Amino acid sequence: MNTVYEIIRRPRLTEKSNLLQEAQNTVVLSVAGTANKIQIKEAVEKLFNVKVAKVATAHVVGKKKRVGARSVGKTRDWKKAYVTLAEGKIDFLDNL
């Protein structure tokens, strides 16, 4: 993986992630499935100009969904990262 944009895909803006950001200064991001914690930390520090204290990752398994009457589909699997910031703050909704 070469660029930070290949590692960090998008922020996960949910009610839970907003509560984590306010209470614990933790940001939730959707990241590439092959990215490790060191790559995620370096990408966040480079992209957002903040200091990262800790990174935790989780693989999210896609859910089974009905597609028509007889067949079953599945949403894709993805990986998320909980990034705890030591210094600085990231505000995704600031530029809207």
Side-chain angles (χ1 to χ4, degrees):
M1 300 209 188
N2 299 338
T3 65
V4 294
Y5 298 108
E6 292 175 350
I7 296 171
I8 298 173
R9 301 233 170 112
R10 68 188 62 86
R12 302 300 294 184
L13 300 176
T14 62
E15 188 174 348
K16 180 180 177 180
S17 67
N18 288 336
L19 291 174
L20 282 173
Q21 190 169 7
E22 293 171 3
Q24 301 174 5
N25 204 18
T26 300
V27 178
V28 183
L29 302 168
S30 177
V31 295
T34 57
N36 61 26
K37 293 180 182 183
I38 297 168
Q39 291 172 333
I40 295 168
K41 178 181 177 180
E42 291 172 355
V44 169
E45 287 179 346
K46 186 175 181 180
L47 186 63
F48 299 112
N49 295 323
V50 294
K51 185 73 176 165
V52 174
K54 180 176 139 179
V55 176
T57 59
H59 287 280
V60 179
V61 180
K63 298 179 181 180
K64 292 184 180 179
K65 299 284 185 178
R66 297 291 300 186
V67 182
R70 291 182 231 168
S71 55
V72 177
K74 182 177 170 282
T75 60
R76 66 177 58 179
D77 299 338
W78 56 282
K79 186 175 185 177
K80 73 175 154 180
Y82 294 96
V83 180
T84 304
L85 303 176
E87 297 175 4
K89 186 175 182 180
I90 301 173
D91 190 12
F92 297 112
L93 301 176
D94 189 31
N95 296 330
L96 291 180

